[in-house]
Amino acid sequence: MTDQDGVGGERTRSSGQTVTTGPSRDGSADSADATTAGRHGRDTEPDARTAASGTAIAVEGVTKRFETGPDSVLAVDNVSFEVETGSIVGLLGPNGAGKTTLIKSVLGMVVPDEGTVRIRGIDVGDRPRAAYANVGAMLEGARNDYWRLTVRENLRYFATVSGVDPDSVADRHDRLLDRLDLTEWADTPVRKLSRGMKQKVSLASVLAGGAEVVFLDEPTLGLDVESSRTLQRELLRLAREDGLTVFISSHDMDVIETVCDRVLVMSEGRIVADDTVDELLRGAAGGTVVVESPDLDADALAAVRERFPVTAVEELDWGTRLTVEASGDDLYGLMDVLATAGVTPERLRTVEPDLEDVFVGLTREGGR
Amino acid sequence: MSTDADGLGPRPAGYYHLARAVLYREFLLFVRYPANAIGGVVISLFFFGVLFYGGRMLAGQALTDSIEGIVVGYFLWTLAVGAYSAISNDIGSEVQWGTLERHVMTPFGFAPVALLKGAAKVVRTFLISTVILAVMLLLTGTTLQLHVLTIVVIASLSILSVLGLGFAAGGITVLYKRIGNWLNLLQFGFVVLISAPVLEIPWLKLLPLAHGSGLLQRAMVDGVRLWEFAPADLALLVAVAVGYLGLGYAVFQLSTQRARRLGVLGDY
């Protein structure tokens, strides 16, 4: 499920080009108030250019290289993209692709060598405090909150440090606890909770101050299926009802496929694809067709091979199973070849590529 | 997420709210998990017991004659070690937990949080060291001049310089990680600083703790009150405290910036 409101824009599959895709949930290009002051009423006026287009995150030409000389590693290579306010954008990539470095560069935890990052129109290099005033982040592998404090104490503490008087958002905290099924544990020290519960507390504390843009790195790591679904449901609700902008990095394809309006695929430091899940699947290499028949002899196999790439031939007790690279459009051609060769399929099924196949294909190509 | 407690929407938090949150957190940890504090008291008293009884066996009357100075020096040492290790270890823990990264990107940043934590650690250390001092006085039968205002001011200024060292050590931990044990060795150097011969070698007064230790001895052993010290002595104490605190804090800030450039801020 992707592209929830069916709105898209220009897209690219190569890095280094500005991308302006992403659904505009408010349906208006200029609905954002360019003069809106931040929570602190100072130094937080969004840049009119980006705010007017409803852009929550604008990354342009970000590059980060670690070390120098022959051991240097180009972790992020001239990456550019934009994220619309209120959308959920996923970041996929194999280990070492540069996802975490990219997220940390956007968050100012890593200083990029080149490029600019604007959050709600504010350049993070010029005015970091103002830019991050309404930003929350839950990073992979980090505890993110204080385990010796209770759940509610964490929410109050992190609301305060994010610039909000916790007494004024007590109702919000109650709702967050309720929606993440944490009410029962509100007064329990976090260290006594399970890993999945801790993960939910971490998310709650990120949202405790009313962040408008959140970055989540592997948010469902360690969660059971039910907890993962609760979290996904809550993310969708927050984006739809409250206009929360979510940038989410995950290896969990189900999460990406379920919640994301758009997906960026990273490989070797570059964005190699940027599209909705539907478009990525549509543009993917064809699927496969699996044919099982007792008539698949050597001549028939040779006839099929002349027209289609055969990826597997497996002998069965009663015949042969043939796996052929062929999309739905090629199916009739394959049937003709089989009929001409005198093969009557006993079983035939098509396997369309899923997001994982697309991801593997894209990252194997490395954008080349 | 728009309705709130009073229906007026979220109110901004200022430095007052930040101070309240940080200090309340430190208070909760202190009262909820007293084992650390109790452990610190027991270990400190154990070492003092070894020092006192072992020393008396070896040195006899000589040690008894100088016991007041030893008690005051040990009191200041526990204060210094408590403040230093609390702040340096705390920064290391924040790095490990990922909470330092979270603070860095907040409107306040980590700097005021670290300073407030430092203040809370000093208060906590004072409470613990007061217990240790009381037991030491009972154990040794020594009497000291306990003018609270003088002791609090002189001792606080003395350990501010150590707090600066703690910030510097915390900054180095942010950069290089897992070197806490090496940095903890520095606390044994505090013994040298506390017993530095500042009368014979005056420039030693510029080192952390050294000048403050001398003034605290005069306050607690000789009964000199705060306003009876020479203004130049107090000015030097303040200068050393502010200087090392500022220097340590600058090292911490520079280390954090360098860690961001190297991309190692949150790694542990």
Side-chain angles (χ1 to χ4, degrees), chain A residues 39-40 64 66 104 107-111 129 132-133 135-137 139 141-150 153 156-158 160-172 175-176 179 189 191 202 205-206 234 237-238 242, chain B residues 1-7 9-15 17-18 20-22 24-25 28-29 32-33 36 94 96-113 117 257 259-267:
Chain A
R39 188 181 295 137
H40 299 280
K64 182 65 186 177
F66 293 121
K104 289 190 173 184
L107 291 170
M109 295 168 189
V110 170
V111 181
R129 296 282 158 75
Y132 297 126
V135 176
L139 299 177
R143 285 170 50 162
N144 286 302
D145 41 31
Y146 295 115
W147 286 4
R148 289 190 292 177
L149 297 184
T150 68
E153 285 163 357
R156 287 182 61 82
Y157 180 85
F158 282 107
T160 308
V161 296
S162 66
V164 175
D165 177 357
D167 292 332
S168 70
V169 286
D171 290 352
R172 167 186 294 170
R175 279 198 304 279
L176 262 177
R179 284 168 178 160
R191 67 187 172 86
S202 189
S205 72
V206 166
E234 184 61 11
R237 194 200 61 73
L238 285 163
D242 300 338
Chain B
M1 295 286 173
S2 56
T3 52
D4 294 290
D6 52 11
R11 290 189 299 270
Y15 282 98
H17 296 93
L18 181 70
R20 195 179 66 177
V22 174
Y24 183 60
R25 175 181 169 257
L28 284 178
L29 296 181
R32 200 174 282 168
Y33 302 94
N36 281 348
E94 297 271 2
Q96 198 172 350
W97 298 334
T99 42
L100 185 136
E101 283 184 318
R102 282 193 71 175
H103 282 97
V104 164
M105 53 174 289
T106 65
F108 297 106
F110 187 68
V113 173
K117 276 166 167 274
Q257 286 169 19
R260 288 173 59 217
R261 279 199 298 278
L262 295 174
V264 298
L265 182 63
D267 298 343

Side-chain angles (χ1 to χ4, degrees), chain B residues 178-247:
Chain B
R178 301 183 191 275
I179 54 169
N181 290 339
W182 292 102
L183 292 171
N184 282 341
L185 289 176
L186 188 61
Q187 54 196 257
F188 293 104
F190 296 160
V191 176
V192 179
L193 293 170
I194 287 171
S195 56
V198 291
L199 291 177
E200 291 81 3
I201 312 171
W203 66 263
L204 290 178
K205 289 180 179 177
L206 298 176
L207 297 177
L209 286 176
H211 183 50
S213 174
L215 297 187
L216 196 64
Q217 293 279 355
R218 287 170 60 194
M220 295 179 75
V221 178
D222 304 331
V224 178
R225 302 296 172 95
L226 184 62
W227 49 90
E228 293 168 349
F229 285 111
D233 277 340
L234 291 177
L236 181 62
L237 185 65
V238 171
V240 169
V242 173
Y244 280 100
L245 185 62
L247 195 66

Side-chain angles (χ1 to χ4, degrees), chain B residues 66-147:
Chain B
S66 59
I67 192 62
E68 291 168 335
I70 290 173
V71 168
V72 174
Y74 199 81
F75 169 64
L76 184 59
W77 185 73
T78 59
L79 276 174
V81 168
Y84 170 81
S85 58
I87 199 71
S88 63
N89 292 344
D90 204 63
I91 290 170
S93 298
E94 297 271 2
V95 173
Q96 198 172 350
W97 298 334
T99 42
L100 185 136
E101 283 184 318
R102 282 193 71 175
H103 282 97
V104 164
M105 53 174 289
T106 65
F108 297 106
F110 187 68
V113 173
L115 280 175
L116 286 163
K117 276 166 167 274
K121 303 294 184 197
V122 168
V123 172
R124 196 187 81 156
T125 305
F126 254 106
L127 293 174
I128 294 171
S129 292
T130 301
V131 173
I132 295 169
L133 176 65
V135 176
M136 284 193 300
L137 293 177
L138 284 173
L139 208 66
T140 59
T142 309
T143 53
L144 291 171
Q145 305 292 321
L146 300 175
H147 187 255

Side-chain angles (χ1 to χ4, degrees), chain A residues 42-258:
Chain A
R42 56 175 165 74
D43 203 29
T44 54
E45 298 83 3
D47 174 87
R49 189 160 41 89
T50 46
S53 62
T55 303
I57 307 163
V59 174
E60 195 174 335
V62 165
T63 298
K64 182 65 186 177
R65 181 183 291 278
F66 293 121
E67 307 287 343
T68 53
D71 297 330
S72 72
V73 176
L74 187 58
V76 178
D77 183 8
N78 192 26
V79 166
S80 300
F81 64 89
E82 291 184 356
V83 176
E84 297 294 309
T85 301
S87 63
I88 305 180
V89 173
L91 179 64
L92 285 175
N95 292 334
K99 302 187 299 295
T100 300
T101 303
L102 175 61
I103 288 179
K104 289 190 173 184
S105 296
V106 174
L107 291 170
M109 295 168 189
V110 170
V111 181
D113 300 328
E114 291 173 31
T116 58
V117 175
R118 288 172 178 269
I119 296 189
R120 295 170 69 243
I122 305 169
D123 191 317
V124 303
D126 294 342
R127 293 181 294 160
R129 296 282 158 75
Y132 297 126
N134 296 300
V135 176
M138 187 174 120
L139 299 177
E140 182 197 358
R143 285 170 50 162
N144 286 302
D145 41 31
Y146 295 115
W147 286 4
R148 289 190 292 177
L149 297 184
T150 68
V151 175
R152 194 185 296 279
E153 285 163 357
N154 267 290
L155 264 55
R156 287 182 61 82
Y157 180 85
F158 282 107
T160 308
V161 296
S162 66
V164 175
D165 177 357
D167 292 332
S168 70
V169 286
D171 290 352
R172 167 186 294 170
H173 291 174
D174 286 340
R175 279 198 304 279
L176 262 177
L177 293 171
D178 180 44
R179 284 168 178 160
L180 290 169
D181 300 327
L182 290 168
T183 304
E184 189 184 342
W185 312 99
D187 299 315
T188 304
V190 178
R191 67 187 172 86
K192 291 186 177 175
L193 302 178
S194 66
R195 180 175 177 174
M197 301 274 274
K198 283 173 180 154
Q199 194 83 338
K200 289 200 280 187
V201 175
S202 189
L203 177 65
S205 72
V206 166
L207 298 170
E212 292 168 9
V213 180
V214 296
F215 292 78
L216 308 174
D217 199 359
E218 297 292 355
T220 55
L221 196 68
L223 293 187
D224 58 33
V225 174
E226 193 180 341
S227 297
S228 176
R229 285 182 181 163
T230 301
L231 188 138
Q232 291 173 41
R233 197 169 51 242
E234 184 61 11
L235 285 178
L236 282 170
R237 194 200 61 73
L238 285 163
R240 283 175 177 156
E241 295 178 15
D242 300 338
L244 182 75
T245 305
V246 183
F247 193 81
I248 179 171
S249 166
S250 178
H251 285 106
D252 188 336
M253 300 291 168
D254 286 342
V255 173
I256 298 290
E257 201 162 343
T258 304

